[in-house]
Amino acid sequence: MLNPTPGLPAFDYVKPASLPEASHFLAAHGDTARPFMGGTDTFVRMRDGFWGEKHLVDVKHFEGMNAIAFDSDSGLTMGAAVNMNRVIASPEINAHYPLLAEAARTVASYQLRSRATIVGNICNGSPAGDTTGACLVLHGVLHVHGVNGPRTESLDHFFLGPGKTVLQPGDIVTAISFPRPPQGWAGRYLKLGRNALGDLAIVGVTALGYPDSTATSGCRFRLALASVAPIPYRPVAAETILAENKIDENTIVAAAEAAMNGVKPISDARGSARYRQMMVRNLTRQAVTDVWQQIGG
Amino acid sequence: MAVHNITFTLNGEAEAAVVPSHMTLLQMLREEIVMTGTKNGCAAGECGACTVLLNGEPVNSCLVLAVECDGQTLVTVEGLAHDRQLDPLQQALIEIGGVQCGFCTPGVLISARALLDRNPHPTKADVQAALVGNLCRCTGYVRIIDGVLAAAERA
Amino acid sequence: METMEIKPDLIGQSVGRLDSHEKVTGAALFTDDLQFGRKLLHARIKRSPHPHALIKSIDVSRALDLPGVKAIVTGDDFPEHIGLYLKDKHIFARERVRFVGEPVAGVAAVTEEVAEQAVELIDVEYEPLEPVFDPEFGASPEAPLIHPDLEKYEVPNFIFPQAGTNIANHFKIRKGDTGRAWERCTTIVERKFHIPHIQHVPIEPHVAIAQVDQTGKATLWASSQSPFAQRNLIAKTLGISQSDMRVIAPLVGGGFGCKAGVTMEAMPVAIATKVPGYPVKLRLTREEEFYTNFVRQGLVINIKVGCDADGKLLAMENTMFWDGGASTEYGVNITRAGGYSSTGPYDIPNVKTDSLCVYTNHPIGGAYRGFGMSELHTAVDQCMDELAEAIGMDKVAFHKLNCVRGGDTLVTGMTLHPVGLEECIDKVAKAIDWGEKPPAGAPNKRRGKGIALAWKAPAMPPNAGSSARLELNEDGTATLGVGGQEIGQGTFTAVAQIAAATLGVPYESIRIAGPLDTQYSPYEWQTVASRLTWSMGNAVRAAASDARRQILETVAEAWDEDVNDLDIVDGVVISYRSEQEQPLKEMVIYGLPNEDFTEWTGGPIVGRGMFMPTYVTGLDPETGQGERAVVHYTVGAQAFDIEIDMETGKIEVLKGAAAFDVGQAINPELVKAQIEGGFVQGLSSAVFEEIQLKEGVMQNPSFVDYRIATAADIPHEIESIIVEVPQDDGPWGARGVGEHPMIPAVAALANAIYDAVGVRMDGPPFSAEKVYLAMLDAGIVN
């Protein structure tokens, strides 16, 4: 049973002067060191005893980690340490990537979002992250600084399991960037928690749609599901149905059912597998319908 | 384990402390500085009783390391009133009855102060959303929300 | 008892709380805020991982070797039992553990971290025993015994343990003849409900600090609703004289019953006896608060109710299996209350009730706001709703036809005092436009309305007492000593109003002597049972009357007048005969001189008062009948107007209304604040809350997994309604209302859900999931 200690277990706080220094420190200390930004997950898991690192490496102060930059050609680059409230308040994000702000608004509480980061949530490999779906359907790319220098990682193959990602010791995600979304797109994040606000998702459905003349239906949808699989999940079968069939109520229902049938969620304190499956269907139907209406359906 | 010498501004005054790496901001306030207005209700970032302003933004002080506050600016509930003048939020909670046991009150006031600082004319829904991270078991939130709205109206 | 008299202006006035200013500035001191210096030791507790097991051995040697460890105690150190009603518990387990989380050993060390490490180094060998998790099975002869020594435990004469079973109390009602009455019923509803355990969730977790000096005198600082009960029980168990045991109780950050009686507070005292001179602090983590502390008991209830063709209730049979947990020291009286109130506020001539408090290997059940009544009403008021529907009668009309009225003979044979329940029903029905059903706000939503009633008597020993002391100060202000605790409900404010109104001084002239301290504060049984405004209020009124009498006698003697011609108005003694005036200032300490200052009359004024109900009678153990089972009942009604989202099962409360007959509201805004807070706590329990137990292990001991209502979950509107039909033995007619607003919530919401979508569930919480799956199983959604 969960039985955390009253305070945090002892560890060393490390604040390297440079990104390479941080990366080398982390690589040298393997499992006993971990980078952190807002700490909203890290400290809770340390206290719970799930994580027992001896060194926590503060990486949120490096150059660019707190920047939000939008370019009308290349899109959005957001530093990894940008907290969720800044995402919600950012004029650039609200103008060009409102789906990110919409998803961020559903996360926990204001004071938690002052510290929580979208990138931190991705790095922790949570299948329940509210903003991860938006990052997936917006084709987010992670900028990683590792022992061998900088590289990028697509989110498509980033998640390996609950809490597991492709990141290696020494890797520090410095930013996430998003290309310009497709012309005429719209997005929606529907979250079902136990409370009206503030809870983790029982189920979260992200939908992004845009006109595309190469699709039979005249449009394409990208969908992502939270809290119903070991990793953030793209229901490809549902996306295919929406691309290949004339979009109407029946097609949307068929896509929603495909999404439902494609997941095998677990039962936990938040909800049962059975309910989660039904909610994948109902929320997918609702989210796709909303998006379809916005993109001119 | 390492200790760190830090300096910061607390409720407008310069402060210094020697803190171990794993000491939280909440522990530093309550146990090192012995300023106990900020409360410990869960130590997991869920109840909001420990909410303080860090550089003007509300945070759960149980999920911030003391060492991270080096060079930063902090405001706690003790810093809301000035020269015997209560903050309008404090005054409104008193008048409207948004205080019962009082244990959530410091965190509620900090969250509400931050809300009015960023949005001086919030709707009821704005207030509810801003206070989602401040659990209260006594009031049913009714008079807390009314109090915040009243304070906004008066400002 | 005071006779009714003209009500002073201050009674019924919504003056501001006495304690708000210190609470909004962060100055208010709670127990965890007290400072004890660098010699403070920190305690942590070794707890049982087994629901039921024999302790074969405990080896503390490795832990004792850890630098910084000052003391380790186990059950061997403290052989005596402890318990409020039934003495069935040890401070630390002896021989056997009975729930997951039960204290087995306690460590005091120089830091919390060292204490925690030491706990890990204590080796305990267990022999697991067959556990009991189902109270219905637990009550059967096949169940393994959890307390084989039940018959040896000390118990008051109104609790009936059944030797050789797991039944710690069996309360019976046998009234009329239900067997024959069923034949006359045209409609009968028979149901079974399961009500889960829930947790109190004060935002302030339990915390206590104890220090024992070299002579054995003990001081306990605790977040406590019951400093006097704690002094009494802990002193007895540890063999300390009550005059050598002192309990200091600062402001409490939420109680709801969980800080009543003795829960964790005995542990630091016990540990402190081994390290004389050192203060020892124990603070529960939030997770420990969830899984180790007293819970609201679970309940399995089988209920059968019938009425005739006109809707008149004729009979009820009720069998309640309370999941008492590992100890029922407090719980036995909850089940008693559930028994003697088992009809709810309905007039039913034939009743058969069996209320059984059953030991299980679950967490210990204790007092929880509403004390048995929320659970009971969840079943009773859903059955009433079903009966009304079955006979085709309007539900409000059905409630009014059957609800209790003054003069009724209640289920125990007691005659009911005047109450305004019909008025409560009418007012909540009007508040939600009962009978009108506007469409839901969206095509995928359904709208529903529901109503339920509530009653509750203060559940306590027949002779639970209160006392008060009013000491006048040189400037004419007064310091009021009471033993009842401010846990957020506003009791300090209400009794200050009572004192000021009685004495004849402005409200602003009264200060409460705090924090509560058993060495200085007057005795109070416990801050529970919605009893303070009434019981402590009576004591305060008596103390203020006593002070007033002393003042008037002093002035009458000095002026050579009759006391009956004198009055105290706004802090000034006035004579209606001579029109002389004498401010209280100065004279309440120094008395009054004669004309040439050669003689003095009077002296420091200290008023004392007490109140204890003397008229509650015992009940027959076989029939539950007696002249006066309880002091009184507070009654009320609650209603919901809701919408259900057919896509998710989520409930949105458009409006809630609640009306309670408080006799006389001393401070109407504080009463309304109680109604609002209780409404939301009840709603929270109805839709979110459940301790998920699996093989005795709590699955959700954190705020992440045990959700309570947030600011975004409350009704769009709550209408709080005060009804006032005075109580003959309350101050100016007041009776308590602290717990009641929570009681009808679950049933009222269940009835609204039924009205909206036509499904009923076998128990709360009515989470979106449970509602949706119930609709799915009923074919309402696909």
Side-chain angles (χ1 to χ4, degrees):
Chain A
M1 179 171 47
L2 187 72
N3 192 19
T5 50
L8 288 170
F11 56 79
D12 269 337
Y13 169 85
V14 182
K15 192 175 180 183
S18 70
L19 199 52
E21 186 187 325
S23 182
H24 282 109
F25 184 94
L26 285 162
H29 288 81
D31 287 347
T32 67
R34 170 180 285 275
F36 84 98
M37 287 182 291
T40 51
D41 268 344
T42 305
F43 301 144
V44 171
R45 292 184 195 204
M46 295 285 286
R47 204 184 141 243
D48 286 349
F50 288 130
W51 291 351
E53 278 78 359
K54 293 296 166 206
H55 309 275
L56 286 189
V57 181
D58 195 344
V59 297
K60 60 180 165 286
H61 54 286
F62 299 127
E63 201 187 332
M65 292 287 274
N66 287 287
I68 297 175
F70 176 72
D71 179 287
S72 55
D73 292 328
S74 59
L76 179 76
T77 300
M78 182 169 73
V82 171
N83 71 50
M84 293 201 186
N85 284 334
R86 284 191 57 211
V87 171
I88 294 166
S90 158
E92 291 96 335
I93 290 174
N94 278 288
H96 304 290
Y97 301 84
L99 181 60
L100 279 175
E102 181 185 2
R105 265 193 292 273
T106 71
V107 175
S109 61
Y110 189 92
Q111 56 266 59
L112 204 94
R113 294 195 301 268
S114 297
R115 299 275 293 171
T117 61
I118 286 180
V119 168
N121 214 256
I122 289 172
C123 293
N124 290 336
S126 166
D130 291 306
T131 51
T132 306
C135 295
L136 277 167
V137 300
L138 286 166
H139 289 171
V141 172
L142 296 177
H143 298 251
V144 184
H145 190 100
V147 280
N148 301 319
R151 69 175 196 275
T152 57
E153 290 280 357
S154 152
L155 284 178
D156 290 342
H157 307 289
F158 183 77
F159 300 102
L160 303 178
K164 293 200 182 74
T165 70
V166 301
L167 294 177
Q168 294 295 315
D171 284 349
I172 297 164
V173 178
T174 56
I176 184 167
S177 62
F178 300 95
R180 285 301 301 264
Q183 279 294 324
W185 77 289
R188 192 91 173 88
Y189 179 60
L190 290 181
K191 172 180 179 173
L192 179 67
R194 288 160 296 185
N195 300 77
L197 290 172
D199 193 13
L200 294 168
I202 300 170
V203 169
V205 176
T206 311
L208 180 156
Y210 57 98
D212 183 346
S213 55
T214 68
T216 314
S217 67
C219 65
R220 288 191 193 274
F221 278 82
R222 301 176 195 159
L223 307 175
L225 307 177
S227 287
V228 293
I231 60 171
Y233 179 78
R234 291 283 302 271
V236 178
E239 294 176 350
T240 306
I241 289 172
L242 292 168
E244 295 182 351
N245 298 279
K246 178 179 179 305
I247 307 275
D248 58 18
E249 209 181 315
N250 289 337
T251 301
I252 294 175
V253 166
E257 297 210 334
M260 171 175 76
N261 295 330
V263 295
K264 283 196 184 66
I266 57 162
S267 296
D268 64 15
R270 298 204 295 281
S272 69
R274 185 182 177 210
Y275 182 59
R276 283 194 157 111
Q277 278 205 301
M278 312 298 289
M279 291 304 104
V280 165
R281 181 194 62 185
N282 292 4
L283 298 191
T284 300
R285 191 177 57 212
Q286 224 173 301
V288 170
T289 304
D290 281 3
V291 170
W292 173 238
Q293 282 164 2
Q294 287 178 65
I295 63 176
Chain B
M1 293 288 162
V3 294
H4 310 265
N5 289 290
I6 64 170
T7 59
F8 51 94
T9 304
L10 176 58
N11 297 333
E13 293 180 355
E15 278 282 350
V18 180
V19 298
S21 285
H22 65 294
M23 176 178 272
T24 64
L25 170 55
L26 174 62
Q27 287 170 321
M28 179 179 79
L29 290 170
R30 292 185 53 83
E31 293 161 26
E32 282 300 305
I33 301 172
V34 192
M35 219 160 78
T36 58
T38 305
K39 303 303 180 196
N40 178 359
C42 74
E46 293 288 334
C47 78
C50 70
T51 307
V52 302
L53 295 180
L54 171 60
N55 300 330
E57 285 294 313
V59 295
N60 292 301
S61 62
C62 69
L63 293 186
V64 175
L65 299 180
V67 59
E68 291 181 89
C69 300
D70 191 20
Q72 315 298 312
T73 299
L74 298 166
V75 176
T76 67
V77 67
E78 291 94 336
L80 290 180
H82 297 284
D83 303 326
R84 298 191 172 200
Q85 277 290 308
L86 293 180
D87 185 290
L89 279 161
Q90 293 173 312
Q91 195 59 45
L93 280 204
I94 290 176
E95 287 169 18
I96 291 174
V99 178
Q100 287 194 28
C101 86
F103 201 80
C104 75
T105 308
V108 164
L109 283 164
I110 293 290
S111 284
R113 180 72 267 154
L115 169 68
L116 296 192
D117 286 348
R118 66 180 181 266
N119 177 4
H121 302 291
T123 63
K124 184 179 170 187
D126 293 336
V127 176
Q128 288 175 292
L131 295 178
V132 154
N134 294 89
L135 298 178
C136 169
R137 195 60 153 172
C138 297
T139 64
Y141 305 100
V142 177
R143 285 161 198 260
I144 292 177
I145 295 165
D146 289 349
V148 176
L149 289 170
E153 208 156 280
R154 287 172 202 174
Chain C
M1 212 176 302
E2 298 286 332
T3 52
M4 289 294 180
E5 59 182 68
I6 296 166
K7 179 172 67 103
D9 290 344
L10 194 50
I11 299 303
Q13 242 189 60
S14 295
V15 298
R17 292 178 68 107
L18 280 177
D19 54 353
S20 305
H21 195 279
E22 56 181 321
K23 286 177 175 174
V24 299
T25 53
L29 286 181
F30 296 83
T31 303
D32 195 33
D33 302 335
L34 304 179
Q35 301 301 315
F36 293 87
R38 293 176 57 184
K39 286 296 181 186
L40 175 68
L41 299 181
H42 299 266
R44 295 293 296 152
I45 305 301
K46 180 80 176 179
R47 298 180 180 280
S48 168
H50 297 286
H52 197 191
L54 294 177
I55 300 173
K56 305 303 288 181
S57 66
I58 303 177
D59 181 356
V60 302
S61 54
R62 288 197 304 146
L64 273 175
D65 287 345
L66 190 70
V69 171
K70 295 287 187 182
I72 299 180
V73 300
T74 68
D76 286 347
D77 298 303
F78 310 105
E80 298 302 320
H81 284 92
I82 192 166
L84 188 70
Y85 291 100
L86 173 67
K87 295 202 188 304
D88 68 355
K89 197 174 75 175
H90 286 108
I91 300 175
F92 293 93
R94 286 167 63 82
E95 295 170 17
R96 183 191 287 249
V97 288
R98 297 178 171 90
F99 76 100
V100 174
E102 181 166 2
V104 174
V107 177
V110 293
T111 67
E112 226 171 18
E113 282 164 295
V114 172
E116 188 71 28
Q117 286 163 22
V119 162
E120 295 299 315
L121 294 174
I122 297 174
D123 298 305
V124 187
E125 194 189 336
Y126 296 99
E127 179 187 319
L129 298 171
E130 187 190 336
V132 175
F133 298 130
D134 174 0
E136 231 174 329
F137 169 70
S140 72
E142 291 78 38
L145 290 187
I146 296 171
H147 284 266
D149 293 335
L150 175 57
E151 65 198 86
K152 296 180 193 158
Y153 297 156
E154 191 184 326
V155 64
N157 64 4
F158 51 85
I159 302 296
F160 308 109
Q162 308 294 300
T165 75
N166 287 321
I167 300 167
N169 189 23
H170 186 170
F171 182 90
K172 297 179 195 171
I173 294 281
R174 299 290 183 268
K175 183 191 177 202
D177 185 341
T178 50
R180 285 178 56 193
W182 296 128
E183 294 165 16
R184 291 189 288 129
C185 292
T186 53
T187 309
I188 295 172
V189 167
E190 199 168 357
R191 290 285 174 265
K192 181 171 192 168
F193 294 97
H194 291 85
I195 291 115
H197 296 80
I198 61 173
Q199 194 46 282
H200 304 74
V201 197
I203 307 304
E204 176 201 38
H206 279 70
V207 56
I209 304 97
Q211 188 167 18
V212 176
D213 73 10
Q214 301 292 345
T215 68
K217 284 186 182 171
T219 305
L220 168 67
W221 294 261
S223 174
S224 172
Q225 296 177 240
S226 309
F228 288 91
Q230 288 174 352
R231 177 184 69 174
N232 182 24
L233 298 178
I234 296 172
K236 262 190 202 163
T237 303
L238 295 178
I240 301 169
S241 160
Q242 296 194 351
S243 48
D244 289 340
M245 171 93 205
R246 177 179 179 190
V247 181
I248 300 171
L251 294 168
V252 173
F256 316 107
C258 72
K259 292 165 183 166
V262 176
T263 58
M264 51 70 85
E265 300 80 9
M267 288 193 277
V269 186
I271 298 169
T273 61
K274 306 296 182 189
V275 277
Y278 287 93
V280 177
K281 179 172 184 173
L282 177 61
R283 184 186 192 285
L284 298 190
T285 63
R286 175 55 63 183
E287 294 77 11
E288 286 178 303
E289 182 75 27
F290 272 116
Y291 84 92
T292 74
N293 233 296
F294 283 19
V295 298
R296 191 175 88 182
Q297 303 175 113
L299 172 64
V300 178
I301 178 167
N302 294 296
I303 182 167
K304 183 177 173 186
V305 198
C307 65
D308 65 18
D310 297 328
K312 194 71 193 134
L313 290 168
L314 294 181
M316 171 184 277
E317 285 184 10
N318 222 335
T319 309
M320 294 175 249
F321 296 93
W322 298 87
D323 189 335
S327 158
T328 62
E329 53 119 326
Y330 209 139
V332 287
N333 199 40
I334 302 169
T335 59
R336 181 175 191 268
Y340 64 62
S341 296
S342 55
T343 53
Y346 299 96
D347 180 24
I348 308 178
N350 302 286
V351 183
K352 178 170 179 280
T353 297
D354 291 279
S355 181
L356 298 125
C357 184
V358 185
Y359 284 121
T360 65
N361 296 110
H362 279 154
I364 299 172
Y368 188 116
R369 190 178 199 174
F371 208 76
M373 295 302 107
S374 305
E375 304 93 300
L376 173 73
H377 278 78
T378 294
V380 170
D381 278 75
Q382 289 194 69
C383 289
M384 296 304 165
D385 201 75
E386 285 199 62
L387 268 182
E389 167 129 347
I391 63 164
M393 194 166 170
D394 173 72
K395 288 165 184 174
V396 165
F398 182 87
H399 281 108
K400 287 173 69 181
L401 174 69
N402 287 297
C403 75
V404 291
R405 292 169 179 78
D408 278 0
T409 302
L410 301 181
V411 56
T412 54
M414 167 178 167
T415 304
L416 185 63
H417 49 82
V419 292
L421 186 51
E422 278 175 279
E423 189 182 341
C424 293
I425 297 169
D426 281 334
K427 287 191 165 160
V428 296
K430 182 161 180 282
I432 63 153
D433 297 322
W434 182 263
E436 292 170 32
K437 199 164 173 185
N444 63 340
K445 293 190 174 178
R446 300 278 182 281
R447 191 155 173 179
K449 295 181 181 181
I451 186 169
L453 310 188
W455 78 344
K456 185 183 180 297
M460 56 187 198
N463 54 342
S466 298
S467 58
R469 184 173 59 235
L470 191 68
E471 298 177 59
L472 279 290
N473 305 322
E474 284 93 332
D475 62 358
T477 63
T479 306
L480 176 60
V482 289
Q485 182 65 293
E486 179 56 67
I487 61 174
Q489 79 283 52
T491 200
F492 283 179
T493 302
V495 294
Q497 279 180 265
I498 290 173
T502 307
L503 183 62
V505 299
Y507 163 69
E508 293 75 18
S509 297
I510 306 291
R511 294 288 180 279
I512 302 293
L516 300 192
D517 182 336
T518 56
Q519 191 158 295
Y520 306 116
S521 303
Y523 176 86
E524 182 67 52
W525 179 61
Q526 294 195 96
T527 299
V528 295
S530 310
R531 58 183 281 281
L532 288 192
T533 301
W534 161 76
S535 181
M536 187 164 88
N538 277 332
V540 166
R541 196 175 175 196
S545 292
D546 186 39
R548 177 186 165 88
R549 176 189 57 77
Q550 294 172 40
I551 293 165
L552 294 184
E553 282 175 5
T554 300
V555 176
E557 189 183 331
W559 291 352
D560 195 20
E561 291 199 35
D562 187 331
V563 286
N564 294 320
D565 293 327
L566 304 182
D567 197 357
I568 307 177
V569 177
D570 246 358
V572 179
V573 182
I574 57 170
S575 166
Y576 293 119
R577 191 172 63 95
S578 63
E579 297 188 355
Q580 288 194 80
E581 292 192 358
Q582 169 62 53
L584 294 185
K585 211 170 157 178
E586 306 288 342
M587 68 90 39
V588 288
I589 297 294
Y590 302 115
L592 289 170
N594 65 3
E595 276 172 19
D596 52 5
F597 285 83
T598 55
E599 271 182 52
W600 297 76
T601 60
I605 303 293
V606 180
R608 63 166 288 276
M610 65 92 163
F611 175 77
M612 185 181 86
T614 54
Y615 35 75
V616 173
T617 61
L619 301 176
D620 183 282
E622 290 308 314
T623 65
Q625 300 300 295
E627 195 163 318
R628 188 160 180 184
V630 297
V631 287
H632 59 252
Y633 277 96
T634 298
V635 298
Q638 186 175 318
F640 276 102
D641 181 0
I642 65 165
E643 277 183 358
I644 296 179
D645 184 333
M646 305 302 280
E647 299 284 316
T648 61
K650 271 214 162 183
I651 296 166
E652 189 171 351
V653 182
L654 304 178
K655 183 166 183 182
F660 289 90
D661 177 4
V662 302
Q664 162 69 52
I666 303 295
N667 185 317
E669 287 303 313
L670 284 184
V671 171
K672 288 184 177 179
Q674 284 303 295
I675 293 178
E676 291 157 7
F679 193 107
V680 172
Q681 193 175 1
L683 175 62
S684 184
S685 76
V687 295
F688 298 123
E689 298 183 38
E690 172 178 23
I691 293 179
Q692 298 172 357
L693 287 162
K694 197 168 165 186
E695 300 293 307
V697 180
M698 185 174 177
Q699 303 297 301
N700 55 339
S702 73
F703 279 134
V704 177
D705 289 327
Y706 187 105
R707 303 297 297 178
I708 67 171
T710 75
D713 296 312
I714 66 173
H716 296 194
E717 185 189 352
I718 299 175
E719 188 170 337
S720 315
I721 301 158
I722 295 172
V723 169
E724 294 174 306
V725 175
Q727 182 64 35
D728 62 358
D729 64 350
W732 293 284
R735 62 175 91 80
V737 73
E739 302 164 285
H740 304 78
M742 170 134 190
I743 294 171
V746 177
L749 184 63
N751 294 340
I753 293 168
Y754 180 81
D755 187 48
V757 294
V759 298
R760 270 190 202 282
M761 289 150 278
D762 83 333
F766 308 127
S767 61
E769 165 165 354
K770 200 185 280 185
V771 172
Y772 187 83
L773 295 181
M775 294 194 299
L776 189 69
D777 291 340
I780 297 162
V781 295
N782 55 42

